[in-house]
Amino acid sequence: MSEEQLIHCSFCGRSEMECKRIISGPNDVSICSDCVLACASMLMNTESAESDSEKASERDEDEE
């Protein structure tokens, strides 16, 4: 299979030959397993930071 025929990750640009797994979506969009993990990690960090902020806000309200 030529390089042009390979599926590439829309996020990092690696080909399916360079990735463990690649998921293809609609409109020729694909994402590799490494980018999925990176995105999941970012989402978890964001959710954790939001949760910490909410807890701090609740503590401030309780102290008043």
Side-chain angles (χ1 to χ4, degrees):
M1 194 179 282
S2 74
E3 183 67 23
E4 290 177 3
Q5 294 173 321
L6 294 174
I7 297 170
H8 289 80
C9 177
S10 301
F11 293 82
C12 68
R14 288 185 289 170
S15 75
E16 61 187 306
M17 300 298 286
E18 300 172 282
C19 303
K20 293 176 191 167
R21 293 191 69 185
I22 195 158
I23 302 165
S24 296
N27 302 320
D28 296 322
V29 176
S30 301
I31 187 167
C32 71
S33 55
D34 290 335
C35 287
V36 168
L37 291 174
C39 290
S41 177
M42 285 184 243
L43 289 170
M44 294 298 288
N45 289 337
T46 300
E47 289 176 10
S48 177
E50 289 172 355
S51 177
D52 291 344
S53 177
E54 289 173 5
K55 289 177 186 175
S57 178
E58 289 172 4
R59 280 194 304 264
D60 291 345
E61 290 173 5
D62 290 342
E63 291 176 0
E64 292 177 357

